[in-house]
Amino acid sequence: MPGKRIAVIGAGVSGLGAIKVCLEEGLEPTHFEGSDDIGGVWRYEEKAKTDRPSIYKSVISNSSKEMTAYSDYPSPDHFPNYLPNSKIMEYLRMYVQHFGLMKHIHFLSKVCSVRKRSNFSCTGQWDVVVEAEGKQKCYVFDGVMVCSGLCTDPFLPLHNFPAFRFVAESLGLEFLVLKTGRTLEKIKIPETENKPWLEHERPSKEVSVTLLAIYSAMLEEQNVTV
């Protein structure tokens, strides 16, 4: 008896693991990836695209390779303890090849909608509309695993915060950076003749109140409630 058909959306870390688990459980996964490659957020591209999350070139994972790896496929011993994004991509390609996952992935296939079928209460099935090569096609699946991540679309794009740009420009700065953790240490900020950026690792009460007021004003202007 054939296994239930499962749609897996997104070929990042979660999506690749989902395919493998589906196969182990006797399910029939069909994987849809909107881009032309695996990796999701870990795949660095020189030119960021509006429909997918992006990382900066020098990103390094802040969790060890032992904690980052899949439980059934450890990272190679010769890999560094903390993996740069290029090594994570190398590891993911090794994982895909080892478990034979590539044949289940449909690249350049954008999922447009996922809806319950009219007889969902009886069948539990879903209609999944996918666009590929300029044409849309509707598939029927017994289950859907959404592994597209949380950061594909910006909630409030940077251009909606002119006040922050005003603060930076009024202080003669090229960058205004609020440092809240170790991430900033990995970002390479270009030097200029003048001090290029203002960093607040632990913002003072005055700075915090000022920025909160700016942020609140922007939200109120856009009628956003948090």
Side-chain angles (χ1 to χ4, degrees), residues 100-157:
L101 307 182
M102 192 63 76
K103 61 184 178 183
H104 300 281
I105 305 175
H106 297 259
F107 291 107
L108 299 175
S109 299
K110 181 181 179 181
V111 175
C112 302
S113 65
V114 177
R115 294 187 175 89
K116 295 178 180 179
R117 303 206 80 199
S118 58
N119 59 352
F120 179 83
S121 60
C122 301
T123 65
Q125 292 181 325
W126 302 79
D127 284 326
V128 179
V129 177
V130 179
E131 181 176 333
E133 299 181 347
K135 299 179 180 180
Q136 290 189 353
K137 182 178 179 179
C138 184
Y139 298 82
V140 178
F141 289 99
D142 298 298
V144 179
M145 302 180 75
V146 180
C147 306
S148 54
L150 302 175
C151 305
T152 301
D153 299 314
F155 177 58
L156 288 174

Side-chain angles (χ1 to χ4, degrees), residues 57-126:
K57 190 173 183 179
S58 55
V59 161
I60 299 175
S61 173
N62 60 3
S63 59
S64 68
K65 65 180 181 182
E66 291 82 8
M67 295 297 294
T68 302
Y70 295 106
S71 60
D72 54 1
Y73 193 76
S75 294
D77 291 338
H78 65 275
F79 273 24
N81 288 333
Y82 292 88
L83 304 179
N85 59 289
S86 59
K87 284 295 182 183
I88 290 181
M89 283 300 301
E90 183 179 345
Y91 169 77
L92 292 176
R93 296 193 194 284
M94 294 167 59
Y95 181 83
V96 168
Q97 182 177 3
H98 181 79
F99 292 107
L101 307 182
M102 192 63 76
K103 61 184 178 183
H104 300 281
I105 305 175
H106 297 259
F107 291 107
L108 299 175
S109 299
K110 181 181 179 181
V111 175
C112 302
S113 65
V114 177
R115 294 187 175 89
K116 295 178 180 179
R117 303 206 80 199
S118 58
N119 59 352
F120 179 83
S121 60
C122 301
T123 65
Q125 292 181 325
W126 302 79

Side-chain angles (χ1 to χ4, degrees), residues 26-44:
L27 304 172
E28 296 183 4
T30 300
H31 199 129
F32 299 109
E33 166 57 38
S35 70
D36 59 358
D37 201 358
I38 66 169
V41 71
W42 288 107
R43 190 175 80 252
Y44 170 76

